[in-house]
Amino acid sequence: MRSDDVLTAVETGLWQWDHATGLITLDAVAARLMGLPPRSTTLSESAMRARVHVEDWIDLHRVAGMAAAENRTAEVRFRVLARNGSVRRTLRARIHSEGDSGDFALSGLIEEVDGDRSEEGRRSGDWRLSREAFLLDAGRALAEARTTGEVLRVAGRLALPGFTPNGLAVFGVEGERLRVLGYHGYPVETPEDEARVKRLFRLTVGSDYPAAEAIRTGRALYIRSPAEYERRFPEAWQVIRGFGRKAWAYLPLTAGGRTIGAWLAGFPHRVSFTPDERSVLTTVARMLAQALARTHTLESERELSADLQHTMAPLGNPEVPGVQITTRYVPTGGGLQIGGDWYDVIPLPSGRVALVIGDVQGHDVRAAAIMAQLRIALRAYASEGHRPDAVLSRASRFLAGVATGTDARFATCLYLEADPRTGTLDVARAGHPDLAVRLPDGSTTLRPTAGGPPLGVLDEWAYPTTRISLQPEEVLLMCTDGLLETGGHDLHTGWIRLRAVLENHSADDLEKLADSIVQAVHGPPSHRLTGPLTDRREDDIALVMLRRPAPVGAGALRRTVLSVAQAEPARIAEARRQLAGLLRDWSDPEQIDGAVLMLSEMLANVLVHTDSDAMVVAELSGPMGERLLRVEVTDTSDELPHRREPGELASSGRGLLLMECLSDAWGVDPRGDGKTTWFELGEPARPAPTAEGAAGAGAGAGAATEHTSERWDPAIATHVPDTPRATRVAGDLPGDP
């Protein structure tokens, strides 16, 4: 009797499916079971799919691909539909598949089975929903993992639906060596446990071990019982039998067509490894392999960029007597994390120290290379003793000669020389954001300086130099635009965010303050490891902070210093802004307006009536609510101002009258090489009165001014009313005529 006759007698059909051509061949019995005329038939995949329940077709396709990948025989059930959509019958197919999951060819048998699968179908549907939810969660967790350690932690927490393993291990390949990357559920508590684990660490790809075989062949191994394990791998069984597992699955980890390792799932009970269970394990193994390959690439890039940055970065912050210096560099979140931001701290032969911060255009290897060359050039020019303006001019010519051709680059830069003894800062700026100063009481203000175009834009440019003073307990901050503009901010809102951090954290520990600044932008601790806000890592960040510790016993005050040259009358407006910023929390807004007006008069008097520059020093001291403001304007002219009685149409001569009306005290102190004009304001001890009260007080103020005797000492040209200071503060409101 022929085999065909036997199959026909037991109503079992033959079929073949070539996924590459999309054709399915059925013999006469198989065609009848599919609801077709009982003769040999060839169908397209679409015609076959139309006769099979959609859920079962998906399972059939999945099992066929998995059987091809594992080179084994599989079994699957599917329902055949009538034209009206009802279930005609249920068939069981045993198939042998060859090829791979994307291009397989199968052949096998089809026979009819009992179609009452309602309870089984419900269980299968519930399991399928649970499986899909698990795979979605696992896929999301693995996709979000950014390091190999995070991937292994996710793998260790996997709870497979319906057959949860209690032991997991991930093996990697290093040459011919099999290395355990991570494991879960294998405690090392006794010397015997430790000996077994050490034996696992001595495996090679050629070892007689299931994980090694899975890597060699690229096919999964499913071991359903301890007896099967001992029979197939007797040597490995002596190592793992003490762990008490009952079933094991070893799946190759394949990424990019290359096997990079193996994944072990051990179960505390026997598992039959049905097609659905194998499908879940195979899917998890593929996701795990992709995640490991991705994180390995990321870690390699991070290691490369870290080495490159370490090579190009300063070797460390030098110990500079009299100041504290803290720096940070945070790379961008993409690519090789190599950008053009840099900083440098350069000790100078004169005992001063140069601080440099800059940003080369672009975020690529070329930007990093240009940055390294430019940093070396700047250090060389500074070490030769050139002043800040000359250093930037030479650096601009250097960059214009380096970044030529079709890929020309420019760079912003802020360069300053600091005298640790006096706190004097000589600043030159090339298109870079201005520096900021945190005052001893925590308030923070920008210190705008004169500047020029970025380096490399114009090879011949004279960069101006601005001199400012850093007082004890003040903290200087220099940064690149990445610190300000990250997270959707512009320069203005970025400074607001930065100022809030500076004012709400102590400056006693610059390291902690720098960490707080970086955390506010990227999340902790992004300057060392990846933080939770990595999506904000849009640009590099370079940060330099310098602090002058106060001498022992010195009191804290708020202070600003600014120079106004004869050729820069526009700096008067900047002086007004800085004074207003110094007084932004002053209790009486009218006094702020008066102080700004008096400063304008003092500076205008110097620029109009002398040939010298003006130096402004404004100090705010004392506790909140009882503070004293003192503003001094110093010039090199010996000519003292004279009080005049201007007529109604006069355009000048009212400066001293304004100071007499608006200040609590004022004067002119002769110096050996010039003079200092100053005024003082006391902060009111109570809130400013209402408009009606202000009018009444103004009348009182006028009467007091008219009838109060005055002392005038022409030697020091100081005007001090006899009225007690407390009375004047309460009655003479700034701004009254």
Side-chain angles (χ1 to χ4, degrees):
M1 181 179 291
R2 296 183 306 169
S3 59
D4 293 347
D5 297 333
V6 174
L7 293 175
T8 302
V10 296
E11 296 186 347
T12 300
L14 295 173
W15 71 310
Q16 293 180 335
W17 181 3
D18 189 346
H19 187 58
T21 62
L23 297 178
I24 299 173
T25 303
L26 307 173
D27 69 358
V29 177
R32 182 182 61 79
L33 292 176
M34 291 298 301
L36 297 170
R39 59 174 179 269
S40 298
T41 306
T42 299
L43 299 176
S44 64
E45 285 186 1
S46 59
M48 183 74 169
R49 184 171 60 245
R51 296 177 175 275
V52 178
H53 193 284
V54 60
E55 293 181 358
D56 298 341
W57 176 262
I58 294 174
D59 282 345
L60 179 61
H61 195 285
R62 175 176 52 82
V63 171
M66 186 171 58
E70 298 177 0
N71 191 24
R72 63 178 179 84
T73 300
E75 181 178 308
V76 64
R77 294 189 179 193
F78 59 91
R79 289 162 287 182
V80 178
L81 302 180
R83 290 183 179 274
N84 59 4
S86 61
V87 177
R88 181 190 298 269
R89 58 176 58 91
T90 300
L91 303 181
R92 178 175 60 191
R94 291 183 59 83
I95 57 176
H96 179 76
S97 186
E98 297 178 349
D100 55 45
S101 59
D103 188 12
F104 58 83
L106 66 82
S107 59
L109 306 175
I110 298 178
E111 61 181 341
E112 185 175 2
V113 295
D114 184 8
D116 185 11
R117 300 177 55 198
S118 57
E119 184 64 25
E120 180 183 350
R122 284 194 296 270
R123 290 196 301 268
S124 177
D126 294 341
W127 193 90
R128 184 178 291 108
L129 292 176
S130 176
R131 179 193 66 188
E132 292 174 353
F134 161 76
L135 292 177
L136 286 174
D137 291 341
R140 180 167 56 251
L142 290 172
E144 292 175 354
R146 297 183 60 85
T147 65
T148 300
E150 292 178 7
V151 172
L152 297 177
R153 283 194 294 272
V154 172
R157 293 195 298 266
L158 291 177
L160 303 177
F163 60 119
T164 301
N166 65 347
L168 298 168
V170 177
F171 299 87
V173 180
E174 290 183 353
E176 292 298 317
R177 182 184 174 190
L178 197 66
R179 187 167 67 93
V180 179
L181 300 179
Y183 60 89
H184 172 73
Y186 289 89
V188 180
E189 299 175 351
T190 65
E192 292 78 10
D193 294 339
E194 185 176 357
R196 283 196 294 269
V197 171
K198 286 183 177 179
R199 290 185 65 180
L200 290 177
F201 279 87
R202 292 196 296 268
L203 294 172
T204 65
V205 176
S207 300
D208 186 20
Y209 183 68
E213 182 174 327
I215 293 174
R216 289 195 306 269
T217 63
R219 299 185 183 279
L221 277 78
Y222 299 101
I223 304 176
R224 298 176 176 84
S225 66
E228 182 182 355
Y229 202 121
E230 184 178 10
R231 176 178 55 82
R232 297 179 61 180
F233 303 97
E235 183 178 352
W237 172 250
Q238 303 303 319
V239 178
I240 61 93
R241 64 180 180 178
F243 292 115
R245 305 287 190 266
K246 303 298 183 182
W248 300 262
Y250 293 87
L251 296 102
L253 299 177
T254 305
R258 184 173 62 91
T259 302
I260 62 174
W263 176 46
L264 159 64
F267 299 87
H269 50 77
R270 294 198 177 190
V271 180
S272 60
F273 296 113
T274 64
D276 280 329
E277 292 169 345
R278 295 189 182 200
S279 175
V280 170
L281 290 170
T282 302
T283 303
V284 172
R286 289 173 180 170
M287 292 191 298
L288 186 58
Q290 295 296 327
L292 287 173
R294 175 176 51 82
T295 56
H296 176 73
T297 301
L298 290 176
E299 289 173 346
S300 299
E301 291 178 350
R302 281 195 291 266
E303 184 178 357
L304 174 61
S305 63
D307 291 343
L308 181 58
Q309 292 156 12
H310 178 74
T311 302
M312 296 187 298
L315 297 179
N317 296 332
E319 294 293 334
V320 180
V323 294
Q324 298 173 355
I325 299 175
T326 294
T327 59
R328 289 287 185 273
Y329 176 75
V330 183
T332 182
L336 286 178
Q337 297 186 328
I338 300 176
D341 291 25
W342 91 95
Y343 66 86
D344 207 349
V345 181
I346 309 170
L348 301 177
S350 61
R352 295 160 66 92
V353 59
L355 303 180
V356 190
I357 195 166
D359 183 3
V360 176
Q361 177 193 11
H363 299 94
D364 51 21
V365 176
R366 176 163 171 76
I370 293 177
M371 175 267 288
Q373 298 178 70
L374 183 59
R375 187 177 70 83
I376 294 172
L378 279 162
R379 176 175 278 267
Y381 297 144
S383 300
E384 289 176 354
H386 297 291
R387 299 294 296 165
D389 54 343
V391 170
L392 289 193
S393 296
R394 285 168 167 77
S396 183
R397 287 195 296 271
F398 171 82
L399 182 57
V402 169
T404 57
T406 59
D407 192 17
R409 304 290 180 101
F410 63 84
T412 65
C413 184
L414 181 62
Y415 178 94
L416 65 84
E417 289 185 8
D419 187 337
R421 184 181 60 86
T422 63
T424 301
L425 307 176
D426 293 323
V427 185
R429 187 169 58 87
H432 201 81
D434 274 306
L435 55 85
V437 175
R438 183 189 186 276
L439 304 179
D441 63 351
S443 59
T444 303
T445 180
L446 283 175
R447 290 291 173 83
T449 56
L455 304 179
V457 175
L458 299 173
D459 55 359
E460 295 293 338
W461 187 271
Y463 289 90
T465 301
T466 303
R467 172 167 290 186
I468 60 179
S469 178
L470 189 69
Q471 300 304 308
E473 292 303 318
E474 291 185 345
V475 178
L476 170 73
L477 183 143
M478 307 161 59
C479 67
T480 54
D481 57 359
L483 183 65
L484 302 175
E485 297 179 334
T486 295
H489 289 267
D490 56 23
L491 290 178
H492 175 67
T493 60
W495 275 121
I496 294 175
R497 176 178 60 178
L498 182 59
R499 186 173 67 184
V501 177
L502 290 169
E503 293 182 348
N504 293 326
H505 291 79
S506 171
D508 294 337
D509 189 335
L510 278 190
E511 293 293 330
K512 291 183 178 179
L513 182 58
D515 289 345
S516 299
I517 292 172
V518 175
Q519 290 170 13
V521 177
H522 284 169
S526 293
H527 65 282
R528 298 188 184 96
L529 300 172
T530 301
L533 304 181
T534 53
D535 58 313
R536 291 189 178 183
R537 302 178 70 178
E538 304 150 358
D539 196 359
D540 298 358
I541 287 178
L543 171 67
V544 177
M545 302 178 71
L546 180 143
R547 174 174 174 263
R548 287 189 68 207
V552 178
L557 53 81
R558 191 185 296 183
R559 193 169 191 261
T560 184
V561 179
L562 180 71
S563 61
V564 179
Q566 281 282 332
E568 297 178 315
R571 296 274 287 172
I572 295 180
E574 179 55 40
R576 292 164 58 97
R577 283 193 294 270
Q578 288 203 23
L579 181 59
L582 198 71
L583 299 173
R584 66 177 181 276
D585 55 357
W586 191 265
S587 61
D588 189 345
E590 292 188 0
Q591 281 189 317
I592 299 176
D593 295 337
V596 170
L597 178 59
M598 286 187 285
L599 176 62
S600 297
E601 290 292 337
M602 295 162 66
L603 291 174
N605 185 70
V606 172
L607 297 186
V608 171
H609 298 292
T610 71
D611 294 328
S612 70
D613 300 337
M615 175 65 71
V616 180
V617 179
E619 292 182 349
L620 189 61
S621 59
M624 185 73 70
E626 301 177 6
R627 292 175 292 184
L628 177 67
L629 171 67
R630 181 180 177 89
V631 179
E632 299 179 350
V633 176
T634 302
D635 61 74
T636 58
S637 173
D638 295 328
E639 182 180 355
L640 299 179
H642 300 284
R643 178 176 177 178
R644 293 183 290 167
E645 297 293 339
E648 294 183 0
L649 300 180
S651 60
S652 62
R654 295 184 176 85
L656 297 184
L657 293 176
L658 285 173
M659 295 180 62
E660 182 177 334
C661 294
L662 300 179
S663 66
D664 289 341
W666 67 276
V668 182
D669 297 340
R671 307 291 186 188
D673 56 351
K675 64 181 181 297
T676 297
T677 307
W678 58 270
F679 70 84
E680 292 180 348
L681 280 177
E683 187 176 21
R686 58 176 181 268
T690 61
E692 292 80 6
T705 303
E706 183 179 354
H707 296 96
T708 300
S709 61
E710 301 172 352
R711 301 191 305 274
W712 179 266
D713 188 345
I716 60 173
T718 302
H719 169 78
V720 183
D722 285 335
T723 306
R725 182 175 180 276
T727 304
R728 288 187 287 105
V729 170
D732 295 327
L733 292 177
D736 290 341

